[in-house]
Coordinates of all heavy atoms in Angstrom, one line a residue:
V150 N -1.6 -11.0 -5.2 CA -2.2 -11.6 -6.3 C -2.7 -13.0 -5.9 O -1.9 -13.8 -5.4 CB -1.3 -11.8 -7.5 CG1 -2.1 -12.4 -8.7 CG2 -0.7 -10.4 -7.9
G154 N -4.9 -21.0 -6.8 CA -4.6 -21.5 -5.5 C -3.4 -21.0 -4.9 O -3.0 -21.5 -3.8
L155 N -2.7 -20.0 -5.4 CA -1.5 -19.4 -4.9 C -1.8 -18.0 -4.5 O -2.5 -17.3 -5.2 CB -0.4 -19.5 -5.8 CG 0.1 -20.9 -6.2 CD1 1.2 -20.8 -7.3 CD2 0.6 -21.7 -5.0
L156 N -1.1 -17.6 -3.4 CA -1.2 -16.2 -3.0 C 0.2 -15.5 -3.0 O 1.1 -16.0 -2.3 CB -1.8 -16.0 -1.6 CG -1.7 -14.7 -0.9 CD1 -2.4 -13.6 -1.7 CD2 -2.2 -14.7 0.5
Y157 N 0.4 -14.6 -4.0 CA 1.7 -13.9 -4.1 C 1.6 -12.6 -3.4 O 0.6 -11.9 -3.5 CB 1.9 -13.6 -5.6 CG 2.1 -14.8 -6.5 CD1 0.9 -15.4 -7.1 CD2 3.3 -15.4 -6.8 CE1 0.9 -16.5 -7.9 CE2 3.4 -16.5 -7.7 CZ 2.2 -17.0 -8.2 OH 2.3 -18.1 -9.0
T158 N 2.6 -12.3 -2.6 CA 2.6 -11.0 -1.8 C 4.0 -10.4 -2.2 O 5.1 -11.0 -2.0 CB 2.5 -11.3 -0.3 OG1 1.3 -12.0 -0.1 CG2 2.5 -9.9 0.4
L168 N -2.2 -12.8 7.0 CA -3.1 -13.9 6.7 C -3.8 -14.4 8.0 O -3.1 -14.5 9.0 CB -2.3 -15.1 6.1 CG -3.1 -16.4 5.8 CD1 -4.1 -16.2 4.7 CD2 -2.1 -17.5 5.5
R170 N -5.5 -17.6 9.5 CA -5.5 -19.0 9.3 C -6.2 -19.7 10.5 O -5.7 -19.5 11.6 CB -4.2 -19.6 9.0 CG -4.2 -21.1 8.9 CD -2.8 -21.7 8.8 NE -2.3 -21.5 7.4 CZ -1.0 -21.8 7.1 NH1 -0.2 -22.2 8.0 NH2 -0.7 -21.6 5.8
I181 N -0.6 -14.7 10.4 CA 0.7 -15.0 9.8 C 1.1 -13.9 8.9 O 0.3 -13.6 7.9 CB 0.5 -16.3 9.0 CG1 0.2 -17.5 9.9 CG2 1.8 -16.6 8.2 CD1 -0.3 -18.7 9.2
L183 N 2.7 -12.2 5.9 CA 3.1 -12.7 4.6 C 4.2 -11.7 4.0 O 5.0 -12.2 3.2 CB 2.0 -12.7 3.6 CG 0.8 -13.7 4.0 CD1 -0.3 -13.5 3.1 CD2 1.3 -15.1 4.0
S265 N 6.8 -13.2 -1.6 CA 6.5 -14.5 -1.0 C 5.4 -15.2 -1.8 O 4.6 -14.5 -2.4 CB 6.1 -14.5 0.4 OG 4.8 -13.9 0.6
V266 N 5.5 -16.5 -1.9 CA 4.4 -17.3 -2.6 C 3.9 -18.3 -1.6 O 4.6 -19.1 -1.0 CB 5.0 -18.0 -3.8 CG1 3.8 -18.8 -4.5 CG2 5.7 -17.1 -4.7
H267 N 2.6 -18.2 -1.3 CA 1.9 -19.1 -0.3 C 0.8 -19.9 -1.0 O 0.0 -19.4 -1.7 CB 1.3 -18.2 0.7 CG 0.5 -18.9 1.7 ND1 1.0 -19.7 2.7 CD2 -0.9 -19.1 1.9 CE1 0.0 -20.3 3.5 NE2 -1.1 -19.9 2.9
K268 N 0.9 -21.3 -0.8 CA -0.1 -22.2 -1.3 C -1.3 -22.1 -0.4 O -1.2 -22.5 0.8 CB 0.4 -23.6 -1.5 CG -0.6 -24.5 -2.1 CD 0.1 -25.9 -2.4 CE -1.0 -26.9 -2.9 NZ -1.6 -26.4 -4.2
L269 N -2.4 -21.7 -0.9 CA -3.6 -21.6 -0.1 C -4.2 -22.9 0.3 O -4.2 -23.9 -0.5 CB -4.7 -20.7 -0.8 CG -4.3 -19.2 -1.0 CD1 -5.2 -18.5 -2.0 CD2 -4.4 -18.5 0.4
S270 N -4.8 -23.0 1.5 CA -5.5 -24.2 1.9 C -6.8 -23.8 2.5 O -7.1 -22.6 2.7 CB -4.6 -24.9 3.0 OG -4.7 -24.3 4.3
D273 N -7.0 -21.3 5.4 CA -6.7 -19.9 5.1 C -8.0 -19.1 4.9 O -8.7 -19.3 3.9 CB -5.8 -19.7 3.9 CG -4.4 -20.3 4.2 OD1 -4.0 -20.4 5.3 OD2 -3.8 -20.8 3.2
I349 N -11.3 -15.5 1.4 CA -10.9 -16.5 0.4 C -11.9 -17.6 0.5 O -12.1 -18.3 1.5 CB -9.5 -17.0 0.7 CG1 -8.5 -15.9 0.6 CG2 -9.1 -18.1 -0.4 CD1 -7.1 -16.2 1.2

Side-chain angles (χ1 to χ4, degrees):
V150 183
L155 297 175
L156 170 58
Y157 300 83
T158 306
L168 174 71
R170 174 186 284 174
I181 300 170
L183 299 172
S265 70
V266 184
H267 173 75
K268 184 174 176 59
L269 292 165
S270 76
D273 298 329
I349 303 162

